[in-house]
Amino acid sequence: MPAIVGAIKINAMGSSAVFNIGDVFTISPVSSAKTFAGAGSFNTGDNLNVRNEHSTTNTYDKDFADGNISTIL
């Protein structure tokens, strides 16, 4: 059933956001990300004591593309 929509103001949208007005069957946004982090980067909690005196993060990746997204319409 069609809808009557008044004025719309969009301040910002993310890169993988979807904006739709009206009837829709399927909305499926996709995104891909790659994260490099050193030792102790994602620790959470109270009173952590992390010692990483000689830590390195290897960011070399011989692949040309990772996390390829393909959509089939």
Side-chain angles (χ1 to χ4, degrees), residues 3-29:
I4 299 173
V5 180
I8 296 174
K9 179 181 179 183
I10 300 173
N11 291 327
M13 288 185 67
S15 61
S16 64
V18 174
F19 179 75
N20 179 59
I21 296 176
D23 298 336
V24 66
F25 178 71
T26 302
I27 297 178
S28 31

Side-chain angles (χ1 to χ4, degrees), residues 11-63:
N11 291 327
M13 288 185 67
S15 61
S16 64
V18 174
F19 179 75
N20 179 59
I21 296 176
D23 298 336
V24 66
F25 178 71
T26 302
I27 297 178
S28 31
V30 293
S31 66
S32 176
K34 188 174 201 175
T35 304
F36 295 107
S41 295
F42 298 114
N43 289 335
T44 58
D46 297 329
N47 301 322
L48 288 174
N49 185 6
V50 179
R51 292 184 58 177
N52 297 318
E53 296 172 5
H54 301 286
S55 175
T56 60
T57 302
N58 183 7
T59 59
Y60 173 73
D61 188 6
K62 63 182 178 177
D63 298 335

